[in-house]
Protein backbone atom coordinates (compact mmCIF):
# COMPACT_ATOMS: atom_id res chain seq x y z
CA UNK A 1 0.00 0.00 0.00
CA UNK A 2 1.13 3.49 -0.66
CA UNK A 3 1.86 6.04 2.01
CA UNK A 4 -1.30 7.95 1.08
CA UNK A 5 -3.69 4.99 1.08
CA UNK A 6 -3.14 3.94 4.72
CA UNK A 7 -4.12 7.30 6.27
CA UNK A 8 -7.12 7.55 3.95
CA UNK A 9 -8.34 4.12 5.02
CA UNK A 10 -7.92 5.06 8.68
CA UNK A 11 -9.85 8.30 8.19
CA UNK A 12 -12.60 6.45 6.32
CA UNK A 13 -12.95 3.84 9.09
CA UNK A 14 -13.05 6.53 11.76
CA UNK A 15 -15.78 8.36 9.85
CA UNK A 16 -17.83 5.17 9.63
CA UNK A 17 -17.40 4.54 13.34
CA UNK A 18 -18.55 8.06 14.15
CA UNK A 19 -21.73 7.72 12.10
CA UNK A 20 -22.78 4.44 13.68
CA UNK A 21 -23.91 6.11 16.89
CA UNK A 22 -26.17 8.67 15.26
CA UNK A 23 -29.91 8.32 15.88
CA UNK A 24 -32.20 7.41 13.01
CA UNK A 25 -34.47 10.10 11.61
CA UNK A 26 -38.15 9.78 12.57
CA UNK A 27 -40.37 7.72 10.30
CA UNK A 28 -42.36 10.33 8.40
CA UNK A 29 -44.05 7.70 6.20
CA UNK A 30 -46.25 6.50 9.04
CA UNK A 31 -49.71 8.07 9.36
CA UNK A 32 -49.05 8.13 13.12
CA UNK A 33 -46.31 10.72 12.58
CA UNK A 34 -48.89 13.37 11.71
CA UNK A 35 -51.60 12.40 14.20
CA UNK A 36 -51.84 9.59 16.73
CA UNK A 37 -55.63 9.92 16.84
CA UNK A 38 -56.23 9.62 13.10
CA UNK A 39 -58.17 6.71 11.63
CA UNK A 40 -55.19 5.72 9.46
CA UNK A 41 -52.92 5.59 12.51
CA UNK A 42 -55.37 3.39 14.40
CA UNK A 43 -55.52 0.99 11.44
CA UNK A 44 -51.72 0.84 11.30
CA UNK A 45 -51.50 0.17 15.05
CA UNK A 46 -54.10 -2.61 14.72
CA UNK A 47 -52.18 -4.23 11.87
CA UNK A 48 -48.88 -3.99 13.75
CA UNK A 49 -50.32 -5.63 16.88
CA UNK A 50 -51.90 -8.47 14.93
CA UNK A 51 -48.87 -9.06 12.70
CA UNK A 52 -47.34 -11.49 15.19
Amino acid sequence: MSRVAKPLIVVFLLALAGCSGMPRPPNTQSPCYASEASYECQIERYKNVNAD
Side-chain angles (χ1 to χ4, degrees):
M1 282 187 157
S2 69
R3 295 178 68 192
V4 176
K6 286 182 183 179
L8 287 177
I9 291 172
V10 170
V11 168
F12 178 72
L13 291 175
L14 288 173
L16 284 177
C19 294
S20 66
M22 295 181 65
R24 289 184 168 189
N27 183 5
T28 57
Q29 300 298 321
S30 172
C32 297
Y33 181 74
S35 173
E36 289 282 330
S38 69
Y39 179 74
E40 292 82 12
C41 179
Q42 298 304 313
I43 296 296
E44 181 178 315
R45 296 274 190 234
Y46 178 79
K47 288 179 180 177
N48 289 344
V49 168
N50 291 322
D52 297 332

